[in-house]
PDB file of all heavy atoms in Angstrom:
ATOM      1  N   VAL A1318      19.223 138.534  47.408  1.00 98.00           N
ATOM      2  CA  VAL A1318      20.490 139.250  47.344  1.00 98.00           C
ATOM      3  C   VAL A1318      20.310 140.439  46.412  1.00 98.00           C
ATOM      4  O   VAL A1318      19.487 140.399  45.488  1.00 98.00           O
ATOM      5  CB  VAL A1318      21.637 138.331  46.859  1.00 98.00           C
ATOM      6  CG1 VAL A1318      21.515 137.999  45.374  1.00 98.00           C
ATOM      7  CG2 VAL A1318      23.001 138.933  47.147  1.00 98.00           C
ATOM      8  N   VAL A1319      21.076 141.501  46.675  1.00 98.00           N
ATOM      9  CA  VAL A1319      21.096 142.671  45.793  1.00 98.00           C
ATOM     10  C   VAL A1319      22.450 142.691  45.102  1.00 98.00           C
ATOM     11  O   VAL A1319      23.489 142.661  45.774  1.00 98.00           O
ATOM     12  CB  VAL A1319      20.882 143.980  46.578  1.00 98.00           C
ATOM     13  CG1 VAL A1319      21.026 145.173  45.651  1.00 98.00           C
ATOM     14  CG2 VAL A1319      19.525 143.981  47.256  1.00 98.00           C
ATOM     15  N   ALA A1320      22.450 142.743  43.782  1.00 98.00           N
ATOM     16  CA  ALA A1320      23.692 142.661  43.021  1.00 98.00           C
ATOM     17  C   ALA A1320      24.201 144.025  42.574  1.00 98.00           C
ATOM     18  O   ALA A1320      23.432 144.870  42.131  1.00 98.00           O
ATOM     19  CB  ALA A1320      23.493 141.771  41.802  1.00 98.00           C
ATOM     20  N   ASP A1321      25.512 144.187  42.684  1.00 98.00           N
ATOM     21  CA  ASP A1321      26.214 145.334  42.127  1.00 98.00           C
ATOM     22  C   ASP A1321      26.740 144.936  40.747  1.00 98.00           C
ATOM     23  O   ASP A1321      26.736 143.750  40.382  1.00 98.00           O
ATOM     24  CB  ASP A1321      27.360 145.743  43.069  1.00 98.00           C
ATOM     25  CG  ASP A1321      28.035 147.036  42.634  1.00 98.00           C
ATOM     26  OD1 ASP A1321      27.365 147.883  42.018  1.00 98.00           O
ATOM     27  OD2 ASP A1321      29.236 147.200  42.912  1.00 98.00           O
ATOM     28  N   SER A1322      27.227 145.895  40.003  1.00 96.00           N
ATOM     29  CA  SER A1322      27.618 145.648  38.618  1.00 96.00           C
ATOM     30  C   SER A1322      28.824 144.721  38.465  1.00 96.00           C
ATOM     31  O   SER A1322      28.831 143.876  37.571  1.00 96.00           O
ATOM     32  CB  SER A1322      27.873 146.966  37.888  1.00 96.00           C
ATOM     33  OG  SER A1322      28.879 147.702  38.542  1.00 96.00           O
ATOM     34  N   GLY A1323      29.832 144.844  39.312  1.00 95.00           N
ATOM     35  CA  GLY A1323      31.043 144.034  39.155  1.00 95.00           C
ATOM     36  C   GLY A1323      30.761 142.545  39.099  1.00 95.00           C
ATOM     37  O   GLY A1323      31.152 141.865  38.136  1.00 95.00           O
ATOM     38  N   PRO A1324      30.095 141.991  40.108  1.00 97.00           N
ATOM     39  CA  PRO A1324      29.797 140.564  40.061  1.00 97.00           C
ATOM     40  C   PRO A1324      28.872 140.163  38.907  1.00 97.00           C
ATOM     41  O   PRO A1324      29.049 139.096  38.315  1.00 97.00           O
ATOM     42  CB  PRO A1324      29.125 140.299  41.413  1.00 97.00           C
ATOM     43  CG  PRO A1324      29.668 141.367  42.301  1.00 97.00           C
ATOM     44  CD  PRO A1324      29.805 142.574  41.411  1.00 97.00           C
ATOM     45  N   LEU A1325      27.902 141.020  38.579  1.00 97.00           N
ATOM     46  CA  LEU A1325      27.024 140.700  37.444  1.00 97.00           C
ATOM     47  C   LEU A1325      27.829 140.585  36.159  1.00 97.00           C
ATOM     48  O   LEU A1325      27.651 139.645  35.384  1.00 97.00           O
ATOM     49  CB  LEU A1325      25.948 141.777  37.266  1.00 97.00           C
ATOM     50  CG  LEU A1325      24.701 141.696  38.106  1.00 97.00           C
ATOM     51  CD1 LEU A1325      23.743 142.819  37.737  1.00 97.00           C
ATOM     52  CD2 LEU A1325      24.006 140.362  37.961  1.00 97.00           C
ATOM     53  N   ILE A1326      28.709 141.548  35.939  1.00 96.00           N
ATOM     54  CA  ILE A1326      29.520 141.537  34.724  1.00 96.00           C
ATOM     55  C   ILE A1326      30.455 140.334  34.723  1.00 96.00           C
ATOM     56  O   ILE A1326      30.598 139.644  33.703  1.00 96.00           O
ATOM     57  CB  ILE A1326      30.303 142.863  34.581  1.00 96.00           C
ATOM     58  CG1 ILE A1326      29.329 144.013  34.313  1.00 96.00           C
ATOM     59  CG2 ILE A1326      31.355 142.758  33.473  1.00 96.00           C
ATOM     60  CD1 ILE A1326      29.935 145.399  34.461  1.00 96.00           C
ATOM     61  N   ALA A1327      31.091 140.056  35.854  1.00 96.00           N
ATOM     62  CA  ALA A1327      32.010 138.914  35.933  1.00 96.00           C
ATOM     63  C   ALA A1327      31.279 137.608  35.620  1.00 96.00           C
ATOM     64  O   ALA A1327      31.748 136.798  34.812  1.00 96.00           O
ATOM     65  CB  ALA A1327      32.655 138.858  37.313  1.00 96.00           C
ATOM     66  N   LEU A1328      30.135 137.397  36.253  1.00 97.00           N
ATOM     67  CA  LEU A1328      29.387 136.164  36.011  1.00 97.00           C
ATOM     68  C   LEU A1328      28.849 136.104  34.585  1.00 97.00           C
ATOM     69  O   LEU A1328      28.824 135.030  33.973  1.00 97.00           O
ATOM     70  CB  LEU A1328      28.253 136.030  37.028  1.00 97.00           C
ATOM     71  CG  LEU A1328      28.710 135.787  38.466  1.00 97.00           C
ATOM     72  CD1 LEU A1328      27.530 135.902  39.428  1.00 97.00           C
ATOM     73  CD2 LEU A1328      29.405 134.442  38.610  1.00 97.00           C
ATOM     74  N   ALA A1329      28.455 137.246  34.041  1.00 97.00           N
ATOM     75  CA  ALA A1329      27.980 137.276  32.650  1.00 97.00           C
ATOM     76  C   ALA A1329      29.104 136.906  31.693  1.00 97.00           C
ATOM     77  O   ALA A1329      28.904 136.116  30.770  1.00 97.00           O
ATOM     78  CB  ALA A1329      27.423 138.654  32.309  1.00 97.00           C
ATOM     79  N   ARG A1330      30.288 137.457  31.911  1.00 96.00           N
ATOM     80  CA  ARG A1330      31.425 137.143  31.036  1.00 96.00           C
ATOM     81  C   ARG A1330      31.815 135.675  31.122  1.00 96.00           C
ATOM     82  O   ARG A1330      32.294 135.109  30.143  1.00 96.00           O
ATOM     83  CB  ARG A1330      32.607 138.034  31.372  1.00 96.00           C
ATOM     84  CG  ARG A1330      32.403 139.456  30.913  1.00 96.00           C
ATOM     85  CD  ARG A1330      33.587 140.314  31.225  1.00 96.00           C
ATOM     86  NE  ARG A1330      33.438 141.629  30.636  1.00 96.00           N
ATOM     87  CZ  ARG A1330      34.364 142.560  30.678  1.00 96.00           C
ATOM     88  NH1 ARG A1330      35.511 142.336  31.287  1.00 96.00           N
ATOM     89  NH2 ARG A1330      34.153 143.732  30.112  1.00 96.00           N
ATOM     90  N   LEU A1331      31.622 135.082  32.296  1.00 97.00           N
ATOM     91  CA  LEU A1331      31.904 133.659  32.460  1.00 97.00           C
ATOM     92  C   LEU A1331      30.752 132.785  31.978  1.00 97.00           C
ATOM     93  O   LEU A1331      30.842 131.560  32.014  1.00 97.00           O
ATOM     94  CB  LEU A1331      32.177 133.343  33.936  1.00 97.00           C
ATOM     95  CG  LEU A1331      33.442 133.924  34.545  1.00 97.00           C
ATOM     96  CD1 LEU A1331      33.459 133.709  36.045  1.00 97.00           C
ATOM     97  CD2 LEU A1331      34.683 133.329  33.892  1.00 97.00           C
ATOM     98  N   GLU A1332      29.655 133.428  31.558  1.00 96.00           N
ATOM     99  CA  GLU A1332      28.435 132.728  31.150  1.00 96.00           C
ATOM    100  C   GLU A1332      27.879 131.897  32.303  1.00 96.00           C
ATOM    101  O   GLU A1332      27.413 130.775  32.125  1.00 96.00           O
ATOM    102  CB  GLU A1332      28.670 131.891  29.903  1.00 96.00           C
ATOM    103  CG  GLU A1332      29.105 132.733  28.705  1.00 96.00           C
ATOM    104  CD  GLU A1332      29.386 131.928  27.447  1.00 96.00           C
ATOM    105  OE1 GLU A1332      29.085 130.713  27.419  1.00 96.00           O
ATOM    106  OE2 GLU A1332      29.901 132.528  26.493  1.00 96.00           O
ATOM    107  N   LEU A1333      27.906 132.494  33.513  1.00 97.00           N
ATOM    108  CA  LEU A1333      27.458 131.790  34.710  1.00 97.00           C
ATOM    109  C   LEU A1333      26.403 132.562  35.513  1.00 97.00           C
ATOM    110  O   LEU A1333      26.236 132.320  36.710  1.00 97.00           O
ATOM    111  CB  LEU A1333      28.661 131.465  35.602  1.00 97.00           C
ATOM    112  CG  LEU A1333      29.637 130.424  35.054  1.00 97.00           C
ATOM    113  CD1 LEU A1333      30.849 130.290  35.965  1.00 97.00           C
ATOM    114  CD2 LEU A1333      28.950 129.078  34.862  1.00 97.00           C
ATOM    115  N   LEU A1334      25.700 133.469  34.878  1.00 97.00           N
ATOM    116  CA  LEU A1334      24.626 134.165  35.586  1.00 97.00           C
ATOM    117  C   LEU A1334      23.588 133.176  36.125  1.00 97.00           C
ATOM    118  O   LEU A1334      22.942 133.437  37.136  1.00 97.00           O
ATOM    119  CB  LEU A1334      23.943 135.188  34.676  1.00 97.00           C
ATOM    120  CG  LEU A1334      24.703 136.486  34.464  1.00 97.00           C
ATOM    121  CD1 LEU A1334      24.061 137.309  33.346  1.00 97.00           C
ATOM    122  CD2 LEU A1334      24.783 137.294  35.744  1.00 97.00           C
ATOM    123  N   ARG A1335      23.477 132.033  35.489  1.00 95.00           N
ATOM    124  CA  ARG A1335      22.524 131.006  35.906  1.00 95.00           C
ATOM    125  C   ARG A1335      22.780 130.512  37.329  1.00 95.00           C
ATOM    126  O   ARG A1335      21.913 129.897  37.954  1.00 95.00           O
ATOM    127  CB  ARG A1335      22.555 129.827  34.945  1.00 95.00           C
ATOM    128  CG  ARG A1335      23.902 129.107  34.956  1.00 95.00           C
ATOM    129  CD  ARG A1335      23.965 127.915  34.029  1.00 95.00           C
ATOM    130  NE  ARG A1335      25.305 127.474  33.793  1.00 95.00           N
ATOM    131  CZ  ARG A1335      26.095 126.841  34.673  1.00 95.00           C
ATOM    132  NH1 ARG A1335      25.639 126.574  35.872  1.00 95.00           N
ATOM    133  NH2 ARG A1335      27.310 126.463  34.350  1.00 95.00           N
ATOM    134  N   LEU A1336      23.982 130.782  37.854  1.00 96.00           N
ATOM    135  CA  LEU A1336      24.295 130.337  39.215  1.00 96.00           C
ATOM    136  C   LEU A1336      23.513 131.106  40.272  1.00 96.00           C
ATOM    137  O   LEU A1336      23.253 130.587  41.358  1.00 96.00           O
ATOM    138  CB  LEU A1336      25.793 130.490  39.503  1.00 96.00           C
ATOM    139  CG  LEU A1336      26.745 129.635  38.680  1.00 96.00           C
ATOM    140  CD1 LEU A1336      28.187 129.987  39.023  1.00 96.00           C
ATOM    141  CD2 LEU A1336      26.464 128.150  38.899  1.00 96.00           C
ATOM    142  N   LEU A1337      23.174 132.353  39.976  1.00 96.00           N
ATOM    143  CA  LEU A1337      22.538 133.193  41.000  1.00 96.00           C
ATOM    144  C   LEU A1337      21.245 132.601  41.561  1.00 96.00           C
ATOM    145  O   LEU A1337      21.092 132.520  42.774  1.00 96.00           O
ATOM    146  CB  LEU A1337      22.327 134.611  40.471  1.00 96.00           C
ATOM    147  CG  LEU A1337      23.613 135.409  40.261  1.00 96.00           C
ATOM    148  CD1 LEU A1337      23.315 136.748  39.605  1.00 96.00           C
ATOM    149  CD2 LEU A1337      24.350 135.601  41.580  1.00 96.00           C
ATOM    150  N   PRO A1338      20.302 132.164  40.718  1.00 92.00           N
ATOM    151  CA  PRO A1338      19.070 131.616  41.293  1.00 92.00           C
ATOM    152  C   PRO A1338      19.277 130.293  42.032  1.00 92.00           C
ATOM    153  O   PRO A1338      18.444 129.902  42.843  1.00 92.00           O
ATOM    154  CB  PRO A1338      18.142 131.426  40.100  1.00 92.00           C
ATOM    155  CG  PRO A1338      18.847 131.905  38.912  1.00 92.00           C
ATOM    156  CD  PRO A1338      20.234 132.303  39.284  1.00 92.00           C
ATOM    157  N   SER A1339      20.402 129.621  41.794  1.00 89.00           N
ATOM    158  CA  SER A1339      20.641 128.381  42.530  1.00 89.00           C
ATOM    159  C   SER A1339      21.143 128.664  43.944  1.00 89.00           C
ATOM    160  O   SER A1339      21.137 127.784  44.793  1.00 89.00           O
ATOM    161  CB  SER A1339      21.613 127.471  41.774  1.00 89.00           C
ATOM    162  OG  SER A1339      22.875 128.075  41.651  1.00 89.00           O
ATOM    163  N   HIS A1340      21.546 129.907  44.201  1.00 91.00           N
ATOM    164  CA  HIS A1340      22.040 130.279  45.526  1.00 91.00           C
ATOM    165  C   HIS A1340      21.112 131.248  46.258  1.00 91.00           C
ATOM    166  O   HIS A1340      21.208 131.377  47.479  1.00 91.00           O
ATOM    167  CB  HIS A1340      23.438 130.898  45.426  1.00 91.00           C
ATOM    168  CG  HIS A1340      24.446 129.924  44.905  1.00 91.00           C
ATOM    169  ND1 HIS A1340      24.931 128.885  45.654  1.00 91.00           N
ATOM    170  CD2 HIS A1340      25.030 129.819  43.692  1.00 91.00           C
ATOM    171  CE1 HIS A1340      25.775 128.185  44.931  1.00 91.00           C
ATOM    172  NE2 HIS A1340      25.858 128.725  43.738  1.00 91.00           N
ATOM    173  N   PHE A1341      20.258 131.933  45.511  1.00 95.00           N
ATOM    174  CA  PHE A1341      19.372 132.932  46.108  1.00 95.00           C
ATOM    175  C   PHE A1341      17.978 132.767  45.522  1.00 95.00           C
ATOM    176  O   PHE A1341      17.832 132.598  44.321  1.00 95.00           O
ATOM    177  CB  PHE A1341      19.880 134.351  45.824  1.00 95.00           C
ATOM    178  CG  PHE A1341      21.289 134.581  46.289  1.00 95.00           C
ATOM    179  CD1 PHE A1341      22.342 134.554  45.391  1.00 95.00           C
ATOM    180  CD2 PHE A1341      21.565 134.809  47.633  1.00 95.00           C
ATOM    181  CE1 PHE A1341      23.643 134.755  45.815  1.00 95.00           C
ATOM    182  CE2 PHE A1341      22.860 135.009  48.064  1.00 95.00           C
ATOM    183  CZ  PHE A1341      23.906 134.984  47.160  1.00 95.00           C
ATOM    184  N   ASP A1342      16.964 132.868  46.377  1.00 95.00           N
ATOM    185  CA  ASP A1342      15.600 132.722  45.891  1.00 95.00           C
ATOM    186  C   ASP A1342      15.146 133.926  45.086  1.00 95.00           C
ATOM    187  O   ASP A1342      14.238 133.825  44.269  1.00 95.00           O
ATOM    188  CB  ASP A1342      14.622 132.439  47.034  1.00 95.00           C
ATOM    189  CG  ASP A1342      14.613 133.523  48.096  1.00 95.00           C
ATOM    190  OD1 ASP A1342      15.509 134.375  48.101  1.00 95.00           O
ATOM    191  OD2 ASP A1342      13.697 133.511  48.938  1.00 95.00           O
ATOM    192  N   GLU A1343      15.790 135.062  45.304  1.00 97.00           N
ATOM    193  CA  GLU A1343      15.442 136.277  44.568  1.00 97.00           C
ATOM    194  C   GLU A1343      16.699 137.114  44.393  1.00 97.00           C
ATOM    195  O   GLU A1343      17.485 137.265  45.322  1.00 97.00           O
ATOM    196  CB  GLU A1343      14.388 137.061  45.353  1.00 97.00           C
ATOM    197  CG  GLU A1343      13.786 138.221  44.610  1.00 97.00           C
ATOM    198  CD  GLU A1343      12.658 138.881  45.408  1.00 97.00           C
ATOM    199  OE1 GLU A1343      12.385 138.484  46.552  1.00 97.00           O
ATOM    200  OE2 GLU A1343      12.074 139.827  44.865  1.00 97.00           O
ATOM    201  N   VAL A1344      16.878 137.646  43.186  1.00 98.00           N
ATOM    202  CA  VAL A1344      18.018 138.511  42.885  1.00 98.00           C
ATOM    203  C   VAL A1344      17.466 139.864  42.452  1.00 98.00           C
ATOM    204  O   VAL A1344      16.682 139.950  41.504  1.00 98.00           O
ATOM    205  CB  VAL A1344      18.913 137.919  41.769  1.00 98.00           C
ATOM    206  CG1 VAL A1344      20.084 138.845  41.469  1.00 98.00           C
ATOM    207  CG2 VAL A1344      19.402 136.523  42.156  1.00 98.00           C
ATOM    208  N   LEU A1345      17.859 140.906  43.184  1.00 98.00           N
ATOM    209  CA  LEU A1345      17.435 142.269  42.866  1.00 98.00           C
ATOM    210  C   LEU A1345      18.618 143.040  42.309  1.00 98.00           C
ATOM    211  O   LEU A1345      19.743 142.924  42.810  1.00 98.00           O
ATOM    212  CB  LEU A1345      16.914 142.969  44.120  1.00 98.00           C
ATOM    213  CG  LEU A1345      15.769 142.282  44.854  1.00 98.00           C
ATOM    214  CD1 LEU A1345      15.406 143.058  46.116  1.00 98.00           C
ATOM    215  CD2 LEU A1345      14.562 142.125  43.948  1.00 98.00           C
ATOM    216  N   VAL A1346      18.350 143.830  41.287  1.00 98.00           N
ATOM    217  CA  VAL A1346      19.376 144.662  40.668  1.00 98.00           C
ATOM    218  C   VAL A1346      18.841 146.086  40.607  1.00 98.00           C
ATOM    219  O   VAL A1346      17.815 146.330  39.952  1.00 98.00           O
ATOM    220  CB  VAL A1346      19.724 144.164  39.248  1.00 98.00           C
ATOM    221  CG1 VAL A1346      20.711 145.090  38.563  1.00 98.00           C
ATOM    222  CG2 VAL A1346      20.278 142.735  39.304  1.00 98.00           C
ATOM    223  N   PRO A1347      19.498 147.021  41.286  1.00 98.00           N
ATOM    224  CA  PRO A1347      19.056 148.417  41.182  1.00 98.00           C
ATOM    225  C   PRO A1347      19.109 148.898  39.731  1.00 98.00           C
ATOM    226  O   PRO A1347      19.985 148.482  38.952  1.00 98.00           O
ATOM    227  CB  PRO A1347      20.066 149.180  42.043  1.00 98.00           C
ATOM    228  CG  PRO A1347      20.606 148.158  42.982  1.00 98.00           C
ATOM    229  CD  PRO A1347      20.628 146.871  42.206  1.00 98.00           C
ATOM    230  N   ASP A1348      18.171 149.763  39.372  1.00 98.00           N
ATOM    231  CA  ASP A1348      18.146 150.308  38.010  1.00 98.00           C
ATOM    232  C   ASP A1348      19.496 150.904  37.611  1.00 98.00           C
ATOM    233  O   ASP A1348      19.937 150.744  36.473  1.00 98.00           O
ATOM    234  CB  ASP A1348      17.060 151.380  37.878  1.00 98.00           C
ATOM    235  CG  ASP A1348      15.655 150.811  37.915  1.00 98.00           C
ATOM    236  OD1 ASP A1348      15.481 149.594  37.673  1.00 98.00           O
ATOM    237  OD2 ASP A1348      14.723 151.588  38.195  1.00 98.00           O
ATOM    238  N   GLU A1349      20.166 151.595  38.558  1.00 97.00           N
ATOM    239  CA  GLU A1349      21.474 152.207  38.261  1.00 97.00           C
ATOM    240  C   GLU A1349      22.508 151.152  37.890  1.00 97.00           C
ATOM    241  O   GLU A1349      23.331 151.355  37.003  1.00 97.00           O
ATOM    242  CB  GLU A1349      21.992 153.011  39.466  1.00 97.00           C
ATOM    243  CG  GLU A1349      21.207 154.257  39.763  1.00 97.00           C
ATOM    244  CD  GLU A1349      20.035 154.015  40.716  1.00 97.00           C
ATOM    245  OE1 GLU A1349      19.630 152.850  40.914  1.00 97.00           O
ATOM    246  OE2 GLU A1349      19.520 155.005  41.249  1.00 97.00           O
ATOM    247  N   VAL A1350      22.478 150.020  38.580  1.00 98.00           N
ATOM    248  CA  VAL A1350      23.411 148.936  38.297  1.00 98.00           C
ATOM    249  C   VAL A1350      23.109 148.340  36.926  1.00 98.00           C
ATOM    250  O   VAL A1350      24.027 148.114  36.117  1.00 98.00           O
ATOM    251  CB  VAL A1350      23.347 147.855  39.403  1.00 98.00           C
ATOM    252  CG1 VAL A1350      24.106 146.606  38.997  1.00 98.00           C
ATOM    253  CG2 VAL A1350      23.878 148.425  40.717  1.00 98.00           C
ATOM    254  N   PHE A1351      21.841 148.098  36.646  1.00 98.00           N
ATOM    255  CA  PHE A1351      21.466 147.552  35.342  1.00 98.00           C
ATOM    256  C   PHE A1351      21.929 148.483  34.225  1.00 98.00           C
ATOM    257  O   PHE A1351      22.484 148.028  33.221  1.00 98.00           O
ATOM    258  CB  PHE A1351      19.957 147.320  35.271  1.00 98.00           C
ATOM    259  CG  PHE A1351      19.521 146.690  33.987  1.00 98.00           C
ATOM    260  CD1 PHE A1351      19.745 145.347  33.751  1.00 98.00           C
ATOM    261  CD2 PHE A1351      18.892 147.449  33.009  1.00 98.00           C
ATOM    262  CE1 PHE A1351      19.356 144.763  32.551  1.00 98.00           C
ATOM    263  CE2 PHE A1351      18.494 146.877  31.814  1.00 98.00           C
ATOM    264  CZ  PHE A1351      18.728 145.531  31.587  1.00 98.00           C
TER     265      PHE A1351
END
């Protein structure tokens, strides 16, 4: 999956970024989004 900033920030604020690898084998974040 490719992540945009909104969901990354939302999951980070919820302290749930750890959920991403449990649903996707690879998570890509464009440099601009990071």
